[in-house]
């Protein structure tokens, strides 16, 4: 989103993944899954008043912007969480919650699925209490300086990956079903959430 905000933007989206699973409904979207420790007394996002909260980065939509937007919708713009910690990346947030150093965090649903598969011990330590979204998923972008023919070629390759047996296996490792074409306007949902939170005078968690 930072690059897209630049005028003119140096990049443009050409394709985005559609994730495996019924919750995604065949669309290029993802969720921010709110996790707590398995033994946590919290059962819903609204239960987290006064709890400690980890986010990966203030420029992250899945870990920060949508959390801020959700609090704004709840009318909670004045210090809802007891403590807020920036971790730098989702995997660190996950482990802080698993180790009970932090009460909760919102994690990109694709990242969480990969982590739970690759580190099955985490599944016994964590529980998803809510899902924020869906939001349009992060795209594959190309430089606007590329020739139009090359941009089209890159897009066509991505859109056909799921038809190749060997490529399909690699996509499945990331829980990706296929790629679909996408343009900048598809991300207006994320821009709208950011603008609404800032208009409400809620610039920071």
């Amino acid at each position: 989103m930072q690059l897209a905000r630049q005028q003119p933007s140096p990049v443009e989206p050409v394709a985005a993944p559609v994730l495996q699973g019924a919750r995604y409904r065949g669309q290029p979207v993802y969720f921010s899954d709110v996790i707590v420790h398995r033994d946590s007394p919290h059962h819903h996002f609204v239960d987290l008043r006064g709890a400690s909260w980890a986010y990966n980065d203030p420029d992250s939509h899945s870990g920060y912007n949508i959390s801020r937007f959700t609090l704004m919708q709840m009318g909670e713009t004045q210090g809802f969480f007891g403590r807020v910690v920036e971790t730098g990346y989702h995997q660190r947030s996950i482990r802080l919650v698993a180790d009970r150093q932090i009460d909760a965090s919102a994690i990109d649903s694709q990242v969480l699925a990969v982590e739970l598969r690759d580190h099955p011990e985490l599944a016994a330590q964590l529980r998803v209490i809510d899902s924020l979204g869906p939001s349009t998923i992060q795209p594959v972008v190309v430089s606007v300086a590329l020739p139009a023919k090359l941009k089209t070629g890159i897009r066509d390759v991505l859109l056909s990956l799921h038809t190749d047996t060997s490529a399909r296996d690699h996509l499945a490792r990331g829980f990706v079903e296929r790629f679909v074409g996408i343009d900048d306007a598809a991300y207006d949902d994320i821009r709208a959430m950011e603008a609404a939170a800032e208009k409400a005078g809620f610039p920071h968690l």
Side-chain angles (χ1 to χ4, degrees):
M1 291 299 291
Q2 280 186 318
L3 290 175
R5 290 190 195 102
Q6 296 180 26
Q7 295 297 326
S9 174
V11 298
E12 62 183 83
V14 293
V18 172
L19 300 180
Q20 296 174 350
R23 72 190 298 202
Y24 302 107
R25 300 184 179 184
Q27 299 299 312
V29 298
Y30 71 115
F31 293 84
S32 294
D33 287 336
V34 180
I35 60 168
V36 298
H37 190 272
R38 176 71 61 178
D39 298 331
S40 170
H42 307 296
H43 294 280
H44 302 282
F45 185 74
V46 296
D47 298 338
L48 295 172
R49 181 187 297 279
S52 55
W53 178 264
Y55 68 91
N56 57 323
D57 185 279
D59 290 321
S60 165
H61 175 71
S62 58
Y64 191 93
N65 186 50
I66 197 169
S67 304
R68 180 181 59 159
F69 176 74
T70 302
L71 288 173
M72 182 217 71
Q73 287 187 308
M74 293 164 52
E76 299 286 356
T77 60
Q78 300 295 324
F80 179 77
F81 298 116
R83 180 165 63 101
V84 177
V85 177
E86 180 179 347
T87 64
Y89 52 104
H90 278 305
Q91 289 83 352
R92 177 63 177 154
S93 298
I94 292 170
R95 280 153 183 79
L96 286 175
V97 174
D99 292 341
R100 306 192 202 198
Q101 296 181 50
I102 290 291
D103 292 321
S105 184
I107 306 297
D108 179 313
S109 57
Q110 183 185 19
V111 173
L112 183 61
V114 170
E115 286 297 299
L116 294 181
R117 180 199 63 204
D118 293 348
H119 304 279
E121 71 279 3
L122 290 172
Q125 299 172 292
L126 299 173
R127 178 162 47 90
V128 175
I129 62 171
D130 229 325
S131 290
L132 312 181
S135 305
T136 308
I137 199 166
Q138 301 91 336
V140 175
V141 301
V142 298
S143 169
V144 296
L146 289 180
K149 185 176 181 179
L150 181 54
K151 293 177 189 176
T152 300
I154 292 171
R155 179 181 179 274
D156 290 346
V157 168
L158 290 168
L159 268 54
S160 65
L161 280 179
H162 66 285
T163 65
D164 181 274
T165 302
S166 60
R168 192 159 58 237
D169 292 340
H170 289 290
L171 291 175
R173 286 291 299 167
F175 295 102
V176 174
E177 180 180 297
R178 68 186 190 280
F179 281 89
V180 294
I182 206 160
D183 60 22
D184 184 71
Y187 296 90
D188 286 347
D189 60 331
I190 294 174
R191 294 187 183 96
M193 292 183 209
E194 184 177 44
E198 293 179 353
K199 183 178 179 180
F202 191 27
H204 307 291
L205 281 176

